């Protein structure tokens, strides 16, 4: 299957700092990538849809100025958590859709963010 | 009401048992359906797609009932390695944009 990587896999940062998470499709081009957040014992919640070359579409309740998404190429999307707070500590997972009309998504391994 | 609802679980069954999970979705614009498996602290992995005609992959059988907006997953002859959280996933076409909604997951634990 298609491979999606994420970096870093784990990051600990201090409150008030910014953290950038990268999501790459390794063996395919992804015009659309998705960013999810998962709190302990909860399901994945879609944060935003990242489209190559255009602005991301954010889900209701997700602050676009806090979670900056850049999808500058067909293989890379980045999520920057700005001015992180402890409540932003979570498991962030990206996924990429294969092909324009594909419904399946392939997930990155996730990034565990801890804000102290 | 949640767009995708699943049995809360957890299910704790002996090895070799048959276990069934249910899932309902509320949005009639739902187009395609999947079951994903997620191991603890790992990303979700696609288990199988779900079709109206029903589909089977080894010990796993998935069914979709569009009229009732209901999806099921049956696992036969369960193995210890089947222990995981199973996520019901629905792809919704909403205002010409497609997005995927995850159920909250059902935790399955297989005991020896």
């Amino acid at each position: 299957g298609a491979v999606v990587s994420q970096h870093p896999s784990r990051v600990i940062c201090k409150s008030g700092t910014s953290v950038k998470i990268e999501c790459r499709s390794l063996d395919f081009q992804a015009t659309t990538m998705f960013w999810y957040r998962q709190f302990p014992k909860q399901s994945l919640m879609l944060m935003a849809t990242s489209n190559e070359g255009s602005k991301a579409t954010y889900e209701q309740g997700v602050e676009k100025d806090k979670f900056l998404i850049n999808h500058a190429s067909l293989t890379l999307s980045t999520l920057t958590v700005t001015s992180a707070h402890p409540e932003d500590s979570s498991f962030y997972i990206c996924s990429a859709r294969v092909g324009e009309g594909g419904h399946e998504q392939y997930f990155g391994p996730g990034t565990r963010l801890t804000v102290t | 009401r949640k767009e995708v609802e699943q049995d809360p679980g957890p299910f704790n069954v002996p090895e070799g048992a048959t276990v069934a999970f249910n899932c309902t979705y509320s949005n009639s614009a739902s187009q395609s359906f999947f079951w994903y498996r997620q191991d603890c602290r790992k990303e979700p992995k696609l288990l199988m797609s779900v079709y109206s005609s029903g589909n089977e992959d080894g010990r796993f059988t998935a069914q979709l009932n569009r009229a009732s907006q209901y999806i099921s997953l049956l696992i036969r002859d369960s193995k210890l390695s089947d222990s995981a959280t199973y996520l019901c996933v629905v792809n919704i076409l909403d205002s010409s944009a497609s997005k995927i909604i995850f159920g909250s997951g059902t935790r399955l634990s297989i005991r020896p």
Side-chain angles (χ1 to χ4, degrees):
Chain A
V3 178
V4 176
S5 71
Q6 255 181 267
H7 178 79
S9 58
R10 185 181 293 268
V11 58
I12 300 172
C13 71
K14 293 193 174 182
S15 191
T17 60
S18 295
V19 174
K20 180 187 282 189
I21 303 170
E22 292 186 350
C23 177
R24 292 182 187 273
S25 56
L26 296 186
D27 50 359
F28 66 99
Q29 293 184 332
T31 54
T32 305
M33 290 184 173
F34 303 86
W35 287 96
Y36 295 85
R37 180 166 54 182
Q38 186 176 34
F39 292 106
K41 302 199 178 198
Q42 295 186 28
S43 188
L44 282 82
M45 296 299 294
L46 179 63
M47 297 175 67
T49 302
S50 169
N51 299 294
E52 187 269 335
S54 64
K55 291 183 179 179
T57 303
Y58 289 82
E59 294 300 300
Q60 194 170 11
V62 179
E63 299 174 57
K64 63 180 181 182
D65 294 330
K66 180 170 179 62
F67 299 98
L68 302 178
I69 292 173
N70 186 303
H71 193 155
S73 77
L74 287 171
T75 59
L76 173 64
S77 175
T78 61
L79 168 69
T80 301
V81 183
T82 63
S83 187
H85 287 111
E87 55 264 33
D88 296 325
S89 299
S90 186
F91 192 47
Y92 291 85
I93 304 178
C94 73
S95 71
R97 176 183 286 147
V98 180
E100 286 291 336
H103 296 303
E104 293 179 16
Q105 294 185 16
Y106 291 89
F107 289 84
T111 297
R112 186 159 299 282
L113 170 64
T114 303
V115 184
T116 61
Chain B
R1 185 186 170 187
K2 290 182 182 177
E3 290 196 85
V4 179
E5 296 207 58
Q6 289 186 244
D7 283 349
F11 285 63
N12 188 316
V13 302
E15 199 173 2
T18 295
V19 61
F21 302 141
N22 302 317
C23 171
T24 57
Y25 61 95
S26 59
N27 194 322
S28 59
S30 301
Q31 287 193 318
S32 47
F33 311 87
F34 310 90
W35 283 101
Y36 277 74
R37 169 194 169 128
Q38 185 175 26
D39 293 291
C40 188
R41 292 176 168 255
K42 296 285 182 68
E43 76 277 18
K45 291 191 187 295
L46 179 65
L47 181 64
M48 58 198 306
S49 302
V50 189
Y51 306 111
S52 297
S53 55
N55 48 306
E56 187 174 310
D57 182 3
R59 299 180 292 109
F60 298 84
T61 301
Q63 292 276 358
L64 164 65
N65 184 321
R66 283 190 184 269
S68 303
Q69 298 188 174
Y70 171 94
I71 305 158
S72 66
L73 176 68
L74 183 77
I75 305 176
R76 290 182 299 278
D77 187 25
S78 53
K79 312 289 184 194
L80 294 175
S81 57
D82 293 334
S83 298
T85 297
Y86 291 83
L87 304 169
C88 174
V89 181
V90 174
N91 186 36
I92 297 172
L93 184 62
D94 180 10
S95 302
S96 77
S98 173
K99 65 179 183 182
I100 288 207
I101 304 296
F102 283 79
S104 55
T106 301
R107 201 147 38 103
L108 173 64
S109 179
I110 307 296
R111 63 179 187 269

